[in-house]
Amino acid sequence: MKNTVINRFQALSLLLPLMFASILFVSLTGMAKASEYQRNQAVPVQQVLFGEVLSTRRITEREIREDQANGWQVFGGALIGGAIGYQFGDGSGQAIATILGSLLGAAAADNNHSRRQERVLELIELNIRVEDGSQYMVIQDYDRRMVFSAGDEIRMIYLANGSVRIDKQL
């Protein structure tokens, strides 16, 4: 009985670092997204400059994105594989079966769910002259509800989060 308790403790001591490594992997693969400013969010304003659009150019950029939920699925596969592997063997064989089960479960979940998505970004490049004569080039998301043309009166809004947004003057 004492030998069985020691072997289970050894298996658990091998499984805990694997679980920790899986959690670390998930956190390092970009599961947490940085918040981005959206037009319908309230963000404190630092400065507003007024000016005129000199020229515009639409830009299309393709972006390939990895499936963001993949890390959790790999973690779940490792846990299930480890639990299944723990059922086999005795002593050090059980510990090896647990580790192999975790690795195989993680690999199976990763192969089954690694998907890439292609996203097309529509941007607009604005060449702007502000009231003091300075010129700025700003690239921002293209918004079909706010189409810019040369000669448009604009506001250049510097936000507290470090971003700049161009809107038409009202």
Side-chain angles (χ1 to χ4, degrees):
M1 181 70 169
K2 190 174 183 180
N3 193 16
T4 305
V5 173
I6 292 172
N7 289 337
R8 287 187 181 169
F9 178 74
Q10 287 174 341
L12 186 59
S13 68
L14 291 173
L15 190 57
L16 285 177
L18 180 62
M19 289 178 10
F20 176 74
S22 298
I23 291 170
L24 183 63
F25 171 76
V26 167
S27 66
L28 293 177
T29 56
M31 294 303 296
K33 286 179 95 172
S35 63
E36 297 175 2
Y37 167 71
Q38 301 295 325
R39 191 174 285 281
N40 61 353
Q41 290 178 327
V43 177
V45 174
Q46 286 186 333
Q47 182 182 12
V48 178
L49 299 176
F50 296 92
E52 173 186 0
V53 175
L54 299 176
S55 64
T56 65
R57 181 172 68 111
R58 288 195 51 193
I59 302 169
T60 303
E61 187 173 309
R62 295 190 186 283
E63 177 182 80
I64 297 176
R65 302 182 82 185
E66 295 287 332
D67 185 2
Q68 296 295 319
N70 194 29
W72 289 111
Q73 292 154 351
V74 170
F75 177 69
L79 285 178
I80 292 170
I84 292 171
Y86 183 76
Q87 304 300 317
F88 298 99
D90 201 16
S92 63
Q94 188 178 39
I96 292 171
T98 302
I99 292 170
L100 286 175
S102 294
L103 293 174
L104 290 173
D110 186 47
N111 287 337
N112 189 29
H113 241 294
S114 112
R115 294 185 190 146
R116 292 181 180 208
Q117 298 174 351
E118 184 175 274
R119 186 175 115 181
V120 177
L121 300 173
E122 292 185 58
L123 306 170
I124 187 161
E125 177 185 87
L126 301 166
N127 187 3
I128 297 167
R129 181 176 40 234
V130 294
E131 292 174 332
D132 70 1
S134 301
Q135 290 189 13
Y136 297 91
M137 179 84 52
V138 177
I139 298 175
Q140 69 182 22
D141 292 334
Y142 177 75
D143 185 351
R144 287 175 172 71
R145 297 170 293 171
M146 188 171 296
V147 179
F148 294 97
S149 301
D152 286 347
E153 301 282 320
I154 57 94
R155 298 182 301 172
M156 182 182 296
I157 304 166
Y158 288 86
L159 301 170
N161 66 3
S163 62
V164 175
R165 186 77 198 173
I166 307 301
D167 286 326
K168 287 188 178 183
Q169 268 187 20
L170 302 174

